[in-house]
Amino acid sequence: MTRRSKSTPEPTSTRLLAYVRVSTQQQVDDGFSLAGQKAELQKWAAYQNLPLDENLIFEDAGISGRHNLRPGLEAMLSTLKPGDTVATYALSRLARGGAMQTLALVERIHDAGARIVFLKEQIDTTSPYGRIMLVVLSEIALLEIEQMRERSEMGRLQAANEGRIPLGSSSRPYGLEIDDDGYPVWDEERARTIRRLFDLRNQKLSLRAVAKALEEEGHPTRRGKKASWESGVVHLILRNPVYKGELIYRQDRERIVIPVPPLVSPEDWQRAQGGYAGQRSHVNPEKFPLTGHLVCTCGSALVGQFAPRAKAHYTPHLYYACLPEVRHTEHCPTNGKRRRLWRTDELERAYVEALAALLENPHDPLRIQAAFGAPLPEDPHVQERQDVNAMLEELLDLRLKGQVTRAAYERQFEILSDRLKRLNAPAPLPIRAPDVPDLSHLAQLVRGAKGRDLAEFLDELGVVGQARGESRGLSRSRDLPRPEITVEIIDFQPLA
């Protein structure tokens, strides 16, 4: 009879796993391309006499290293066994979020009984020296990213203050170009189109009729003469003050008016803003009072639309949408989709409560700035809140695609939501409450206003809000917990 041992040790793996990543900003042919990383990893594996199976090369294409939830990374982590070796070309390929993010990922790999090697930095994290170098290099990498972002933002603000246009060709208004020094000039052909568009509108034509006339006369759209004109695009052009000589540039809480050569007089521009019977839903203040006072999390203006009805007898939902023709990019940066939707009832309720809270709180930074023109205190958690919101939205998207289990989704959702609540604590301000005008009576008016009355009230206050979270009922997984819909008031002007 053969005696069994009391415990059988778990077999140790000798596999080599590789992780490669490239963001959308990387050039295809530079040293960090997917093919380039794979080639370097193959060379290293051959030198170490370790076989590298193609099925064990995990990749994330077009995903930022600041995001924790990446399909390729999650797939690699879930397949780790004791004794495995993970190789990646450089520290920046694994993480871009600083030492905390990098060390958290390394700990997950170590907890699985595996080790990780960074080829470029020649770091093996199983040694104390390797772990120290890992912390130092990850912080240096994060510092470089932050410095590059700050320099870029400072350069754009400086350009705007000097009257130059800090926008790329896809972000500039229709017809607006820049000269060699960055100053605004108009494309002559499209300038004629703009003048004709305002002329038609001031003849009391509907948006649809204006679009049809421009198409029949052969005026080019942003995509050229072959593309058709849409009434929604006509509306956006009419509402843009750049055509009367004012380009509004916003960055964080900065608002700069850049003067440009006007194509129409202020009187003609204002006359073109008048309403008419039968206009498109997204310019109807009765149904969409937040239009013109609401932006997406990505910063693009939201417009009102009717949701398509599933059946003929169903009542269509109204919603605010982030659309490609408004933001001038194919996909919304916050969720990677062409459209991002919010139900009007949910979003308007959150908007009204956020504005009422602002009016009732004399210590709110925006109230202080509106009352005294005082500089806003620095909020150290702005970037971290944006990162957590992006992670919540990415987590929901991964669940809808079936790439994470429901249990994992709910566990991570609870962790991130709790973290977000702690980051939303208001910062103390040094100004005493009696110094700030009492606007609590306006809060009551805001809560009671509906439709056109609410739209006019927002016009008077000069309010702009930014939408966050997700609407229920607009996805195939309605029962999933998801980020609560909130609105952050990002611009507020005192009543005259």
Side-chain angles (χ1 to χ4, degrees):
M1 181 176 179
T2 305
R3 182 180 296 178
R4 293 185 180 179
S5 61
K6 292 184 179 180
S7 63
T8 303
E10 187 176 346
T12 302
S13 168
T14 58
R15 299 183 307 167
L16 174 62
L17 291 76
Y19 177 71
V20 295
R21 182 189 64 80
V22 64
S23 66
T24 54
Q25 286 76 28
Q26 303 289 154
Q27 297 298 323
V28 174
D29 57 352
D30 73 6
F32 281 140
S33 67
L34 293 176
Q37 293 175 57
K38 291 178 182 178
E40 292 297 322
L41 289 166
Q42 292 283 6
K43 293 178 185 177
W44 182 84
Y47 178 75
Q48 297 290 331
N49 198 24
L50 291 172
L52 180 56
D53 190 338
E54 285 289 335
N55 294 325
L56 294 179
I57 300 178
F58 300 87
E59 66 178 59
D60 282 312
I63 300 179
S64 171
R66 298 178 71 92
H67 294 171
N68 289 327
L69 297 170
R70 293 170 250 158
L73 179 63
E74 289 297 320
M76 183 199 71
L77 294 172
S78 65
T79 60
L80 285 176
K81 298 179 181 178
D84 281 347
T85 296
V86 177
T88 186
Y89 175 68
L91 178 63
S92 61
R93 300 305 90 201
L94 179 69
R96 280 282 198 178
M100 294 298 293
Q101 182 197 34
T102 305
L103 290 177
L105 291 174
V106 171
E107 279 302 320
R108 289 185 64 181
I109 294 171
H110 287 177
D111 290 345
R115 70 183 183 118
I116 183 167
V117 177
F118 300 95
L119 271 60
K120 184 179 178 182
E121 293 85 2
Q122 298 182 0
I123 295 176
D124 186 340
T125 58
T126 56
S127 69
Y129 175 77
R131 291 177 65 83
I132 292 174
M133 288 301 299
L134 180 67
V135 173
V136 173
L137 291 174
S138 59
E139 283 300 308
I140 291 175
L142 180 61
L143 178 61
E144 290 176 350
I145 294 172
E146 294 298 331
Q147 288 177 337
M148 289 173 59
R149 182 183 293 113
E150 289 177 5
R151 286 194 294 268
S152 177
E153 291 177 353
M154 289 174 61
R156 289 195 293 269
L157 281 175
Q158 181 66 24
N161 284 316
E162 293 174 355
R164 293 182 285 125
I165 307 297
L167 301 172
S169 58
S170 61
S171 303
R172 292 195 293 266
Y174 172 82
L176 187 64
E177 304 291 342
I178 58 175
D179 61 18
D180 294 338
D181 296 321
Y183 291 98
V185 293
W186 290 105
D187 176 85
E188 292 184 4
E189 184 178 16
R190 285 169 169 76
R192 288 193 295 271
T193 299
I194 293 297
R195 294 190 182 97
R196 178 58 176 159
L197 184 151
F198 275 87
D199 180 57
L200 291 168
R201 174 62 172 155
N202 285 329
Q203 295 176 28
K204 305 302 181 183
L205 271 65
S206 68
L207 298 183
R208 194 180 299 276
V210 172
K212 182 178 180 181
L214 293 175
E215 196 165 331
E216 290 175 349
E217 294 175 11
H219 291 279
T221 67
R222 180 181 287 272
R223 297 187 296 272
K225 292 188 176 181
K226 293 184 178 180
S228 59
W229 279 90
E230 298 178 0
S231 54
V233 175
V234 172
H235 163 69
L236 293 172
I237 291 176
L238 289 168
R239 290 294 300 274
N240 198 330
V242 70
Y243 301 110
K244 64 174 181 177
E246 301 174 354
L247 174 63
I248 309 299
Y249 177 71
R250 296 179 184 273
Q251 182 173 300
D252 296 330
R253 296 188 184 275
E254 295 281 347
R255 181 180 183 272
I256 301 173
V257 179
I258 305 174
V260 300
L263 295 180
V264 297
S265 67
E267 294 75 21
D268 287 341
W269 185 89
Q270 189 60 45
R271 189 161 58 252
Q273 309 305 307
Y276 60 91
Q279 62 188 12
R280 285 280 299 260
S281 62
H282 62 245
V283 293
N284 187 340
E286 192 62 43
K287 289 186 172 65
F288 303 102
L290 303 186
T291 301
H293 300 280
L294 186 62
V295 298
C296 174
T297 313
C298 72
S300 175
L302 297 182
V303 295
Q305 295 279 294
F306 282 103
R309 294 183 292 186
K311 294 183 180 179
H313 63 280
Y314 283 8
T315 301
H317 288 303
L318 306 179
Y319 64 88
Y320 293 97
C322 178
L323 301 175
E325 56 265 31
V326 179
R327 63 178 177 267
H328 306 307
T329 60
E330 185 64 21
H331 299 98
C332 178
T334 59
N335 66 356
K337 298 177 181 177
R338 295 191 78 251
R339 299 190 305 167
R340 189 175 180 192
L341 311 176
W342 285 271
R343 288 266 298 271
T344 55
D345 54 347
E346 297 176 343
L347 194 53
E348 287 170 9
R349 186 162 53 247
Y351 195 106
V352 166
E353 285 305 313
L355 180 56
L358 170 69
L359 294 167
E360 291 174 338
N361 180 12
H363 289 293
D364 191 284
L366 279 174
R367 284 282 306 282
I368 301 298
Q369 185 188 43
F372 302 105
L376 293 173
E378 291 188 4
D379 186 347
H381 303 302
V382 172
Q383 185 60 50
E384 193 172 357
R385 273 200 300 272
Q386 293 176 354
D387 291 343
V388 174
N389 277 304
M391 290 164 63
L392 281 167
E393 291 158 5
E394 185 180 3
L395 179 65
L396 176 61
D397 196 48
L398 290 174
R399 176 55 189 153
L400 295 178
K401 292 177 180 177
Q403 295 178 353
V404 296
T405 65
R406 183 187 181 95
Y409 170 84
E410 292 179 346
R411 183 172 59 254
Q412 191 68 15
F413 177 86
E414 184 177 353
I415 293 172
L416 293 174
S417 297
D418 182 64
R419 181 178 169 189
L420 189 61
K421 288 179 182 178
R422 293 197 302 270
L423 293 174
N424 283 334
L429 291 173
I431 299 180
R432 293 177 291 110
D435 295 333
V436 184
D438 181 13
L439 299 180
S440 58
H441 64 289
L442 296 180
Q444 299 177 4
L445 294 176
V446 168
R447 288 193 172 102
K450 302 289 183 183
R452 188 179 298 276
D453 291 337
L454 177 59
E456 293 177 355
F457 197 78
L458 297 180
D459 287 340
E460 290 292 330
L461 287 175
V463 183
V464 178
Q466 189 170 54
R468 302 184 185 281
E470 296 287 344
S471 276
R472 296 183 180 276
L474 292 175
S475 118
R476 63 179 182 273
S477 297
R478 302 181 183 183
D479 59 335
L480 287 176
R482 61 194 66 214
E484 179 184 0
I485 290 183
T486 59
V487 172
E488 179 182 358
I489 304 300
I490 60 175
D491 199 5
F492 172 72
Q493 302 296 328
L495 289 172

